[in-house]
Amino acid sequence: KPSCTSDTTLLNRMQPHNDLSTLSSQTAIDLKTKLSSFVTEECYPAEIEYDQHLAKRIGSDRWSLDAIPPCVERLKNRAKQLGLWNLFLPKPIPNEIRALCDQDNASFVSPSMYLSNREYGVLCEIMGRSLLASEACNCNAPDTGNMEVLLKHGSLAQQIRYLKPLLMGQIRSAFLMTEPDVASSDATNIETTLTKVVSSSGNVHYVLNGKKWWSTGAMDPRCKVALVLAKMDHGNVGVSNTNPSSKHGAHTVVIIPMDAPGVKLVRPLTVFGYD
């Protein structure tokens, strides 16, 4: 085949993906068709309502519950009805969490099928055509990545407290990596520290200290938890399993409730005037 120019490649990415050979089953094909209709017929028209609602909220009003356009919840409920919810999930959720969701009449948390990366990529292409579709289907970052971390590594208590409401779309989350004082694209530069403190009585607690920015979603009033990238402080008691002179091996991710003492939201950041 002749090689594509960069312009042609960009154009192809903007066109609808009609190659059904990437989908492994008729169920996946039907899911793609249903999602395409949802985005075109319900998400696109709602974008006008979304913009009009936000246009009236500026300054501190932008980050209030009242600023969340009603169309968001309406679309989320519709996606649940259509079986378009949590399409990102790579594997079944723990039985304990599923049972708790079922008690809340939230059987919709489990997707209609578990997709391969390729299949989910096709659906992401469709959702990406509308600024509302990913959130409507509970498939938007950083919530998806945070849910996968909690699903794979979280304790049962952490999953009940954070994963369950995230799966149900009741709360939002943030992932805090980038810092204002260092080139954070290289994670070895991260300066936020997690210090292990052991008291004379043997009790252990941790102190997290640092600054983060470009923290997508942190100002959202629905954001109740953040996953924070930090480095263990080698100079303190109890940290002896890594080499202090190495840039590697000390990184960790800490779950922080947004209402925890010491968490301070300084200001929203904008790009070309947009949040």
Side-chain angles (χ1 to χ4, degrees):
K1 295 181 179 179
S3 60
C4 295
T5 65
S6 58
D7 289 343
T8 303
T9 302
L10 178 61
L11 180 61
N12 288 339
R13 288 178 60 186
M14 296 170 61
Q15 300 301 317
H17 194 299
N18 295 315
D19 182 8
L20 300 183
S21 64
T22 59
L23 303 179
S24 62
S25 68
Q26 185 60 47
T27 303
I29 294 173
D30 293 343
L31 198 59
K32 174 183 178 294
T33 302
K34 186 185 298 183
L35 179 62
S36 295
S37 298
F38 174 66
V39 171
T40 302
E41 298 171 10
E42 302 191 47
C43 292
Y44 285 172
E47 291 178 2
I48 298 174
E49 177 185 343
Y50 184 92
D51 289 339
Q52 290 175 341
H53 185 89
L54 283 182
K56 303 173 185 177
R57 276 79 181 174
I58 58 176
S60 60
D61 291 341
R62 169 64 182 88
W63 304 106
S64 64
L65 286 172
D66 179 67
I68 301 170
C71 62
V72 173
E73 286 301 318
R74 186 175 71 243
L75 290 172
K76 287 166 65 175
N77 290 332
R78 183 64 175 144
K80 294 171 185 176
Q81 295 170 359
L82 293 172
L84 299 175
W85 191 257
N86 287 339
L87 298 173
F88 74 94
L89 277 176
K91 63 179 182 180
I93 61 177
N95 291 334
E96 297 87 346
I97 304 302
R98 183 184 178 91
L100 290 173
C101 291
D102 288 343
Q103 291 176 14
D104 292 338
N105 295 318
S107 58
F108 56 79
V109 296
S110 296
S112 50
M113 69 174 294
Y114 294 96
L115 303 164
S116 68
N117 285 345
R118 176 179 291 182
E119 290 170 332
Y120 182 55
V122 172
L123 301 189
C124 283
E125 182 185 21
I126 296 170
M127 287 186 280
R129 296 184 198 132
S130 168
L131 61 88
L132 298 178
S134 292
E135 181 174 0
C137 297
N138 211 34
C139 290
N140 52 326
D143 294 334
T144 50
N146 290 343
M147 283 188 273
E148 288 185 18
V149 170
L150 289 166
L151 179 62
K152 186 173 183 179
H153 301 290
S155 66
L156 179 59
Q158 291 166 344
Q159 290 176 341
I160 292 173
R161 183 174 179 181
Y162 302 116
L163 179 60
K164 175 177 173 282
L166 282 168
L167 287 169
M168 294 175 65
Q170 295 175 331
I171 66 172
R172 299 294 308 276
S173 64
F175 184 82
L176 311 186
M177 173 178 170
T178 308
E179 299 180 358
D181 299 328
V182 295
S184 308
S185 55
D186 180 353
T188 63
N189 292 328
I190 294 299
E191 293 183 335
T192 297
T193 58
L194 182 69
T195 303
K196 182 178 182 179
V197 180
V198 182
S199 68
S200 57
S201 61
N203 293 325
V204 177
H205 69 275
Y206 292 86
V207 177
L208 183 69
N209 187 32
K211 295 183 293 184
K212 299 290 185 179
W213 71 347
W214 299 118
S215 306
T216 300
M219 295 292 293
D220 192 315
R222 299 168 296 176
C223 182
K224 302 302 181 183
V225 62
L227 272 61
V228 184
L229 182 67
K231 281 184 178 179
M232 289 300 302
D233 185 350
H234 293 294
N236 283 267
V237 177
V239 185
S240 58
N241 58 341
T242 53
N243 180 3
S245 64
S246 173
K247 285 188 172 184
H248 305 279
H251 291 76
T252 188
V253 173
V254 189
I255 302 173
I256 299 295
M258 294 300 288
D259 60 356
V263 174
K264 182 179 181 181
L265 298 177
V266 178
R267 64 183 177 91
L269 297 178
T270 59
V271 179
F272 301 131
Y274 296 92
D275 57 71

